[in-house]
Amino acid sequence: MIAVAFLVLLALASLLLAWIDLRRGIIPDWLNLAIAVLGLARIVILEDWVLALSAAAEGILTGAIVWLLRWLYFRLRQRQGLGLGDVKLLAASAIWVGIAGIPMLLLVASLAALAAAGVLHLAGAKMTRQTALPFGPFLAFGQLATLALQQTGWMVY
């Protein structure tokens, strides 16, 4: 019952995150922090604090790697490809899905974003290489989908 409550809270936080990012183009720090703390609390309550420390380390490592990739992209292209809110969301997501789940999360998020861009294009929106599309909603969806795959045994983590 407690595990379900944590998943419901994560889903609600993800919906709020998607709504804010779509409307304002940002992911608030407090929401990323809430997702991270919720994930750590879940691990402490359902597992133990040692695993929570390990999950926190995976979150920090994921955040550092994605931030480095963001920085390298900017150095090469002279434009931002990923917002800092997205970087922080990936760090918080690593607490939930583990560092091994991040590639699946990114695959699901990227495919969903490509599908959304295709639908927007078919609906008549002008889509170019410079068209900005908030990635937070897709990352949130990727997180939930990856977590669902892990929970049902389709993906080992």
Side-chain angles (χ1 to χ4, degrees), residues 72-157:
L72 287 171
Y73 182 87
F74 179 76
R75 298 283 294 173
L76 291 172
R77 301 284 311 267
Q78 298 302 309
R79 60 185 301 232
Q80 295 295 345
L82 197 62
L84 280 175
D86 299 324
V87 172
K88 295 171 196 172
L89 178 56
L90 282 165
S93 295
I95 292 170
W96 282 88
V97 301
I99 204 164
I102 294 297
M104 177 61 75
L105 185 156
L106 288 170
L107 175 64
V108 171
S110 298
L111 290 175
L114 283 171
V119 168
L120 287 171
H121 178 71
L122 290 174
K126 183 172 169 66
M127 301 298 288
T128 67
R129 292 184 341 167
Q130 283 74 34
T131 302
L133 191 62
F135 199 44
F138 304 107
L139 289 173
F141 174 71
Q143 177 186 21
L144 294 172
T146 301
L147 197 56
L149 289 171
Q150 290 173 336
Q151 297 295 316
T152 58
W154 280 80
M155 184 178 152
V156 178
Y157 57 101

Side-chain angles (χ1 to χ4, degrees), residues 3-103:
V4 173
F6 278 109
L7 293 175
V8 168
L9 289 173
L10 176 63
L12 291 172
S14 297
L15 284 171
L16 180 60
L17 181 146
W19 184 73
I20 292 172
D21 198 18
L22 285 170
R23 291 183 51 92
R24 297 179 47 208
I26 63 163
I27 301 172
D29 287 342
W30 66 266
L31 194 48
N32 279 329
L33 182 61
I35 290 171
V37 169
L38 189 62
L40 290 173
R42 173 182 162 264
I43 296 169
V44 167
I45 291 170
L46 298 178
E47 304 289 340
D48 66 15
W49 64 273
V50 175
L51 285 176
L53 287 176
S54 176
E58 288 184 2
I60 291 167
L61 180 60
T62 299
I65 291 169
V66 175
W67 181 87
L68 179 62
L69 291 173
R70 177 185 187 269
W71 180 81
L72 287 171
Y73 182 87
F74 179 76
R75 298 283 294 173
L76 291 172
R77 301 284 311 267
Q78 298 302 309
R79 60 185 301 232
Q80 295 295 345
L82 197 62
L84 280 175
D86 299 324
V87 172
K88 295 171 196 172
L89 178 56
L90 282 165
S93 295
I95 292 170
W96 282 88
V97 301
I99 204 164
I102 294 297

